[in-house]
Every structure is written in structure tokens, then in C-alpha cells.
Amino acid sequence: MNVVENTLGASIEAFLARPLFGHLATAAPEGARESPVWYLWEDEAAWILGDSATDTFPDRVEKHSGCALGVVDFDAERGLVQHVGIRGTGTVEPFDRDLAERLLARYLGPDRTDWDPRFSGYVADPTDTALLVRIEPESVVARDQSYAPAPVRNGH
């Protein structure tokens, strides 16, 4: 993995360990497509849950493996703008229940009994179409583009 730039003031791994939304960019005959995703950064790769029956991005990854994953932490009140962009190769992998549970626990908490049934059922009884997309990074850009926010005046 080639780290082109890192101005976060922290490790890329620490940033990617936070439960932030990712945006998966893939190619399609009609042009580029973007999918908001939850992800798990593990073993220097990004893992994304998918389902071949309901998601279109796994098919796009299979047809054209070049893809990108962007992750942004933004808070306008604090002027926080941090971004990690991963460019690499995507592969469609078999569903792994343990990995899927670790991924979902990042966003939903450690106790599966507290999860929305859509997600607990996904792990407890996955369909035959459940899968994972693995993104192997070729290059990574990590930038802190934070700014000094405007002062709040009269509650505005």
C-alpha cells in the first residue's frame, strides 16, 4: 500500500477504525457509480458487506475491479474535515459470518441482541446471495482539511 500523503496527525488505521460511512466508487458502462457503505478495515484491506440479489456494486466490482473508497469525517460546528481516499482493486469474496459480525458491531454495538433485526438476521441466517467485497489498496491519501469555523452569533 502506497501512502501518498497523510496529514491527519494520526495513523490511517486509527482513522479507519472509526465507524464512519464509506463511499464506494465503481465503474459501469453508463459511467461511474457511488454506493454509501459500512466497512471494516482489517488486515490492510477494506471489507464491505454485500448481497448479489439486492446490491449492484458486487457485479460492477466483478466486471471492473478498479475501484475507490472514500471515507470522510465532517463536523461543521468544529470545522472538522478529515478524509481518507483508497484507490485499489476490489474482489468479491464468500460471506464470512465472523467478519460480517465484526463489521456490523462497529456500527451497531457489540451485543447482537440489541441490533435491528435486519442486521442480526443477516449474520445469524445469511442468504445464499450474501457476500463480501474486499478492497486491496494500491494507494491511499489521508488529509486533514479542517478549518476555523465562523463564530456563532445570536444563536445562528
Side-chain angles (χ1 to χ4, degrees):
M1 171 174 70
N2 175 30
V3 177
V4 176
E5 177 182 353
N6 181 1
T7 62
L8 292 176
S11 75
I12 292 169
E13 289 76 14
F15 179 87
L16 293 173
R18 293 157 48 197
L20 301 169
F21 262 88
H23 293 271
L24 176 64
T26 55
E30 308 82 19
R33 297 290 182 261
E34 182 269 344
S35 301
V37 295
W38 286 351
Y39 68 91
L40 174 68
W41 179 257
E42 190 171 276
D43 298 327
E44 293 194 10
W47 295 88
I48 299 166
L49 290 175
D51 190 305
S52 61
T54 58
D55 296 319
T56 57
F57 63 84
D59 186 54
R60 291 193 303 272
V61 168
E62 282 191 323
K63 290 180 178 167
H64 182 78
S65 63
C67 56
L69 179 68
V71 180
V72 176
D73 191 359
F74 174 67
D75 182 339
E77 286 185 19
R78 295 187 300 145
L80 175 73
V81 181
Q82 294 179 325
H83 169 264
V84 170
I86 298 169
R87 294 175 209 97
T89 303
T91 55
V92 175
E93 305 289 336
F95 185 79
D96 178 314
R97 184 185 314 251
D98 292 334
L99 195 148
E101 187 164 0
R102 289 192 304 276
L103 188 157
L104 290 170
R106 286 169 29 92
Y107 297 92
L108 303 171
D111 187 349
R112 215 168 63 186
T113 61
D114 292 336
W115 294 4
D116 181 297
R118 291 176 297 160
F119 300 109
S120 58
Y122 189 84
V123 172
D125 188 24
T127 66
D128 291 341
T129 55
L131 53 82
L132 291 160
V133 170
R134 181 178 187 272
I135 310 230
E136 176 79 26
E138 293 164 12
S139 65
V140 177
V141 174
R143 291 192 179 122
D144 187 335
Q145 297 175 303
S146 298
Y147 58 92
V152 176
R153 294 191 178 124
N154 298 328
H156 299 288

